Amino acid sequence: MKKIFLLLSTSVLLLTATFVIGQNTRFSDPKTVIEEQFWGNLYADGGKSFFCDEQFATKGFMFTQGYIYPLADIRNALSCGTTRQCEQDNRYRQIASDLHNMIPVRNRTELRRRNARYEELGALIKADDCGIRESSILFEPPPKVKGDVARSMGYMVGTYGLPWLGSPQVFQGWNRSDPPDDRELSRHKRVAEIQGNENPYITDPSRMERL
């Protein structure tokens, strides 16, 4: 009986540890993470904007940190109150500090999409120069990053219990049509090194089908 109890206790501890490791437990100060880890570490040598592949050497005035899962929707999901009130909420601070959800984008692109819902709009909506399609509050990313968006969304939904911002079937389809490429895998490796946890939907994209 004692051995059975010890085995059960060990199993519970392992499951708990796995759950904790799956989240961002290293950072809980969004402003510091943005300055020191996102721009100061992950993109210290510059890079390319997420949606449009625009090269940048430094953040400058044209670029900002964007969020695949917008912060306003995180606040709504947590019901933590106003922006200022949520900034005092430990759970919100943890989620808002997660580098797996942050991307470099042009200011004007982020302003257009931060309150949008993701959708497959089809050829009836003309794509812009970046391959983005928009209609009212709907947003379809360029084909080359649809899978990236889907796997980040899956991570936020599966890891933090947040609601989908669009149809799960759409994200699952994007995951299948745009598997992880070298750029996504390289960025993921760096984020995992900095933050201490992986996005399991990048390391095993088939997990998206089970969400």
Side-chain angles (χ1 to χ4, degrees):
M1 180 64 72
K2 185 176 181 180
K3 288 183 178 180
I4 293 174
F5 175 78
L6 288 173
L7 285 171
L8 288 172
S9 299
T10 302
S11 299
V12 169
L13 286 172
L14 286 172
L15 286 170
T16 303
T18 302
F19 179 73
V20 171
I21 290 169
Q23 299 183 8
N24 159 40
T25 57
R26 185 168 292 177
F27 302 127
S28 61
D29 184 348
K31 292 181 180 178
T32 300
V33 169
I34 290 166
E35 180 180 347
E36 297 183 1
Q37 302 301 333
F38 185 77
W39 295 113
N41 191 347
L42 186 59
Y43 290 101
D45 298 321
K48 290 184 177 182
S49 65
F50 181 76
F51 294 109
C52 298
D53 273 346
E54 298 159 305
Q55 192 78 39
F56 63 88
T58 60
K59 176 180 179 289
F61 295 103
M62 303 294 291
F63 293 88
T64 187
Q65 66 285 344
Y67 301 86
I68 298 295
Y69 201 110
L71 297 185
D73 291 294
I74 295 173
R75 291 192 289 269
N76 288 337
L78 297 181
S79 299
C80 53
T82 64
T83 300
R84 180 169 293 184
Q85 288 171 331
C86 287
E87 288 174 350
Q88 307 306 312
D89 183 284
N90 289 334
R91 183 63 168 161
Y92 173 77
R93 290 166 59 84
Q94 175 198 15
I95 299 173
S97 299
D98 198 312
L99 290 169
H100 285 297
N101 188 44
M102 294 185 197
I103 51 173
V105 295
R106 272 189 174 271
N107 281 300
R108 65 189 184 196
T109 303
E110 183 65 6
L111 284 171
R112 295 203 318 265
R113 61 159 289 278
R114 63 174 45 166
N115 296 315
R117 291 295 178 267
Y118 297 102
E119 184 57 88
E120 185 75 26
L121 295 172
L124 291 177
I125 304 296
K126 184 179 179 181
D128 68 11
D129 293 340
C130 294
I132 294 171
R133 288 187 168 93
E134 298 174 90
S135 177
S136 185
I137 61 167
L138 300 177
F139 181 91
E140 180 183 340
K144 64 181 179 293
V145 294
K146 282 183 175 179
D148 307 50
V149 169
R151 288 179 285 275
S152 292
M153 180 62 61
Y155 170 82
M156 298 300 283
V157 170
T159 303
Y160 296 113
L162 299 173
W164 292 98
L165 300 181
S167 166
Q169 290 73 31
V170 167
F171 293 115
Q172 289 165 345
W174 290 352
N175 173 61
R176 291 190 294 269
S177 66
D178 176 35
D181 57 16
D182 289 342
R183 177 179 169 181
E184 183 181 2
L185 292 170
S186 176
R187 174 193 144 90
H188 173 261
K189 181 181 178 182
R190 286 285 293 120
V191 171
E193 289 170 350
I194 294 168
Q195 187 166 281
N197 73 303
E198 293 188 331
N199 177 344
Y201 303 95
I202 293 177
T203 57
D204 180 12
S206 68
R207 291 173 65 105
M208 285 290 295
E209 304 299 325
R210 302 193 288 274
L211 273 175

